[in-house]
Amino acid sequence: SSAMAEERSLAMVTCTAPVNIAVIKYWGKRDNDLILPINSSLSVTLHQDQLKTTTTAAASRDFTEDRLWLNGEEADVGHPRLQACLREVRRLARKRRGGSAEDAAPLSLSYKIHIATENNFPTAAGLASSAAGYACLVSALARLYGVEGELSEVARRGSGSACRSMFGGFVQWQRGERPDGRDSLAHQVAPETHWPELRVLVLVVSGEKKQVGSTAGMQTSVDTSPLLKHRAEAVVPERLALMMRHIRERDFEGFAQLTMQDSNQFHATCLDTFPPIFYLNDLSRQIIALAHRFNAHHGHTKVAYTFDAGPNAVIFMLADTVGEFVEVVRRSFPPATNGDQFVRGLPVGSASLPEELLAAVVTEPVPGAVRYILHTKPGPGPQLLDDPSQHLLGVDGLPRRCA
Ligand code: DP6
């Protein structure tokens, strides 16, 4: 037994984790508590230079209660999904320690914990942050307690899509068969280095905040949409196999077409939900039409859009298309005020548009509709930050800086 090992009094770990965007969508649970999906899904992990969550987790003998800070503001630690993640990481830690006696200085599992988390992008941007958030929380807690191995199962308990943010590159979340969810896991299909030319533009749109959340929306869809049932049973299995092949072969046209089709079918299941749910709006439809005009003008599929449970558009393309497509977006949705900050993230080369492309693709401009464009690419999974100066909590266990 390792009962003699001395317990450390303060331990602190900081991790970062990425956002992911699904190209085969997850929509619908077969178990709400365990967060088990009705179909498998596949996503691309985005680079953390542009979009990431950072989380510091600390445990100390001196803490008197569990506490949580989100972007500098104290928040409720009692959230059932957060509690589920904490419970599961501790359970894995206990299991591991029971199995081996060589752990030199085990951190007491009874210590209270402090967690601080922040995003490097504005929450107001409406970019899905729960996936990165829970992936980051689970990564940090696992490091804190010395747990290794299968963690996507734990992140899944925070938010379904979070299990895919536990890996970089191209990631599949396998539906699984078991009622206990032990086989409902994420794994990497290909690393981010597999497709170096692939680029992503996030079109962050103005206004619109309150729609139906994913959790509630997909529940109503499961209860009422026959199209969703058909999708999960008959459409997704075939599409998943096809999408894996397109990725393996780096077939952009195949990848792009299927990505658009799957986004559209997801939104069709939302319309098929009763009462219906609308995540696409007029601007989304204008962006969809713009992408199709752009592709039609070129005579092949050069860009692909995908939309989640909100109005921001995510557009895939190869690197040599970015300059031209950004210019098309700028002409179609000219910036209202922040003209200099309209394009953010990775550099975008300037492109001049041929007149006939302008005439064929750009219709009546809608100023201010797109707030900004974020240029990014596929990236790696969660990272451990070694430098203590990057901790979000000080040695007193309180946030170092406020939002
Ligand atoms: C449309 O993972 O946010 O983004 O599991 O209830 O937390 P919960 O839902 P969430 O749903 C994401 C839905 C989606 C599609 C996707 O990411 O696959």
Side-chain angles (χ1 to χ4, degrees):
S1 145
S2 62
M4 298 303 285
E6 201 182 308
E7 289 181 348
R8 288 175 292 153
S9 61
L10 173 75
M12 200 180 284
V13 169
T14 300
C15 288
T16 67
V19 164
N20 72 78
I21 179 76
V23 291
I24 300 291
K25 303 291 187 191
Y26 149 55
W27 194 251
K29 296 180 184 70
R30 62 181 203 277
D31 185 310
N32 287 316
D33 179 44
L34 294 173
I35 310 195
L36 303 179
I38 59 170
N39 61 258
S40 299
S41 56
L42 203 156
S43 59
V44 179
T45 295
L46 302 185
H47 205 287
Q48 295 176 56
D49 282 355
Q50 283 75 44
L51 297 168
K52 73 169 174 225
T53 297
T54 304
T55 299
T56 297
S60 170
R61 183 177 17 194
D62 304 326
F63 295 165
T64 55
E65 53 180 349
D66 290 338
R67 295 179 74 180
L68 169 71
W69 291 266
L70 302 177
N71 294 312
E73 301 262 343
E74 186 148 20
D76 176 25
V77 277
H79 197 289
R81 289 177 170 198
L82 189 144
Q83 287 297 324
C85 290
L86 194 51
R87 191 172 58 242
E88 289 305 305
V89 176
R90 283 177 170 151
R91 193 176 57 76
L92 292 174
R94 216 168 279 123
K95 192 165 111 190
R96 194 175 135 91
R97 286 171 198 187
S100 72
E102 79 267 30
D103 214 349
L107 179 72
S108 174
L109 288 167
S110 62
Y111 285 178
K112 300 295 182 193
I113 58 156
H114 285 188
I115 298 160
T117 185
E118 63 182 39
N119 300 325
N120 71 342
F121 52 92
T123 314
L127 300 161
S129 56
S130 74
Y134 278 108
C136 205
L137 175 77
V138 169
S139 301
L141 289 174
R143 275 289 185 155
L144 191 69
Y145 292 120
V147 173
E148 274 160 21
E150 189 45 68
L151 295 172
S152 72
E153 196 186 340
V154 182
R156 193 199 70 225
R157 299 293 299 272
S159 190
S161 54
C163 74
R164 299 186 313 237
S165 276
M166 296 302 284
F167 299 93
F170 302 83
V171 183
Q172 190 192 350
W173 172 16
Q174 212 121 34
R175 175 195 184 281
E177 301 296 331
R178 295 172 52 133
D180 66 4
R182 297 300 305 274
D183 56 353
S184 190
L185 308 171
H187 66 264
Q188 188 179 65
V189 169
E192 62 279 11
T193 50
H194 169 71
W195 203 343
E197 306 82 19
L198 194 62
R199 292 294 180 275
V200 179
L201 299 180
V202 182
L203 274 48
V204 178
V205 313
S206 296
E208 281 204 71
K209 260 211 185 131
K210 210 67 217 143
Q211 334 90 11
V212 184
S214 302
T215 306
M218 69 175 75
Q219 179 60 54
T220 313
S221 297
V222 167
D223 292 342
T224 63
S225 169
L227 176 59
L228 182 63
K229 186 172 156 60
H230 171 71
R231 163 178 168 74
E233 286 170 4
V235 180
V236 169
E238 275 182 27
R239 283 191 175 173
L240 208 72
L242 197 54
M243 188 63 95
M244 303 258 258
R245 188 157 83 232
H246 294 324
I247 291 169
R248 185 161 22 89
E249 295 171 355
R250 290 186 286 266
D251 171 0
F252 183 78
E253 292 211 48
F255 171 84
Q257 285 165 20
L258 198 47
T259 293
M260 292 186 279
Q261 287 172 330
D262 204 69
S263 173
N264 293 344
Q265 187 175 72
F266 156 51
H267 292 282
T269 68
C270 290
L271 184 60
D272 192 46
T273 297
F274 197 80
I277 305 166
F278 305 99
Y279 292 122
L280 301 179
N281 59 20
D282 278 345
L283 179 57
S284 322
R285 286 185 283 273
Q286 283 166 15
I287 293 167
I288 289 171
L290 180 71
H292 284 289
R293 285 197 303 273
F294 187 83
N295 289 338
H297 177 79
H298 284 287
H300 62 250
T301 306
K302 295 193 78 171
V303 298
Y305 53 81
T306 183
F307 296 83
D308 281 343
N312 291 327
V314 175
I315 318 277
F316 288 96
M317 66 200 66
L318 297 177
D320 60 6
T321 303
V322 171
E324 189 177 84
F325 193 73
V326 162
E327 202 45 40
V328 163
V329 173
R330 200 202 300 275
R331 298 290 191 117
S332 307
F333 309 102
T337 47
N338 62 338
D340 50 330
Q341 285 188 79
F342 189 62
V343 184
R344 307 179 192 187
L346 296 172
V348 173
S350 60
S352 59
L353 301 183
E355 274 310 317
E356 79 273 13
L357 183 136
L358 264 180
V361 175
V362 176
T363 55
E364 191 60 26
V366 186
V370 172
R371 273 177 52 213
Y372 62 91
I373 303 171
L374 184 67
H375 181 203
T376 185
K377 63 181 184 181
Q383 310 278 313
L384 176 72
L385 299 186
D386 290 313
D387 181 356
S389 73
Q390 291 166 302
H391 290 320
L392 302 179
L393 296 169
V395 287
D396 57 356
L398 297 174
R400 278 180 141 159
R401 40 174 198 274
C402 283

